[in-house]
Amino acid sequence: MKRIIGFLLCVILVIGGYAQSDSGEIVTLPAEKKYNLRPEFTARVAGGFDAHYKISGGVNINGKQTAGLMLGYFDSVCTDEVGMPVPVESITANLFYRRYFHLGKRQVCAFYIDAYAGAYFVFDVGRHDPAADKYLPEPGNVGLVLGLQPGFRVRLYRNLHIFLGPSIASDCLGLHFGIGF
C-alpha cells in the first residue's frame, strides 16, 4: 500500500510539472529562480563584561543572504546575595539569518545584520551556597537566546573576510568581531 501511494504521488508531481499549450502541445514549466549556494563559516568573539565565543556555519544563498547554525560558549560572572562573584559557564545553539548590504560593484565592503534565536544550557556554576542564592542559575538550566548583531565586513581575499560591530542580545551586550570564510 505504501508503494502504491508513493507511486501515485510521483505521478502527480510529474504531471504537475507539465502544462498544456493552446495548440495541445505539452511544454515544461521553466524554473522560477536559480540560487548560487555556497558554504560560509565564521568564528567570532562577542561581549562586554563577559566572553562569548561563537562559530557559525551556513549556506550563502545568493551572495546577499546566509542562513545556518551558530554554536557558542558563554562565560559570565554573576554576583550572589553577599556580593561575591560566581562564574557561570554555558553553551548556546542558535539558528541565524544574515543579510548583506554590499557597497560597490566588487562587493569588497558590506554592511550586514545577523539575527539569531536559540537556547542556552548552563553546565557549570562556581562555588556558592545554593540555599542562599535563589537568583543564581543552576547547572541544567535552559533558557531562550535572542540576538541582533549589525556590523561592517571587509573582504580580504576571495571569501576570507573580517568583521566588527555591536552586539545586542539577551546573552550579550557589547561588541563582536571575527573572521569568516
Side-chain angles (χ1 to χ4, degrees):
M1 187 67 180
K2 289 181 184 179
R3 289 183 182 174
I4 294 171
I5 292 174
F7 177 74
L8 290 176
L9 285 174
C10 289
V11 169
I12 291 171
L13 290 175
V14 168
I15 292 173
Y18 291 95
Q20 197 168 15
S21 68
D22 292 337
S23 63
E25 298 176 9
I26 295 178
V27 295
T28 60
L29 296 176
E32 290 186 20
K33 289 187 178 181
K34 300 226 181 215
Y35 294 107
N36 182 14
L37 302 177
R38 59 179 201 258
E40 184 173 295
F41 300 97
T42 65
R44 67 184 64 202
V45 176
F49 300 107
D50 41 21
H52 297 261
Y53 306 99
K54 296 182 180 185
I55 57 171
S56 69
V59 176
N60 189 312
I61 300 168
N62 57 5
K64 295 181 181 178
Q65 303 174 34
T66 302
L69 179 66
M70 185 182 295
L71 303 173
Y73 168 77
F74 174 54
D75 185 16
S76 66
V77 176
C78 295
T79 56
D80 60 6
E81 290 182 356
V82 184
M84 298 297 293
V86 176
V88 177
E89 298 178 51
S90 60
I91 55 174
T92 62
N94 307 305
L95 294 176
F96 77 91
Y97 173 77
R98 181 177 302 129
R99 173 74 163 104
Y100 291 108
F101 302 96
H102 296 288
L103 303 174
K105 292 181 182 179
R106 295 184 56 213
Q107 300 180 354
V108 174
C109 297
F111 288 104
Y112 68 90
I113 187 161
D114 279 354
Y116 61 90
Y120 71 87
F121 174 77
V122 176
F123 66 89
D124 188 25
V125 177
R127 299 185 63 178
H128 68 286
D129 182 13
D133 301 324
K134 56 186 173 187
Y135 298 111
L136 282 176
E138 295 179 10
N141 282 6
V142 176
L144 178 67
V145 175
L146 296 172
L148 201 60
Q149 292 183 335
F152 187 73
R153 176 190 91 153
V154 177
R155 191 180 74 213
L156 304 173
Y157 176 74
R158 295 194 183 189
N159 196 28
L160 180 66
H161 57 272
I162 57 174
F163 53 90
L164 171 73
S167 182
I168 306 157
S170 60
D171 61 344
C172 166
L173 185 61
L175 290 175
H176 72 278
F177 63 93
I179 188 166
F181 57 93

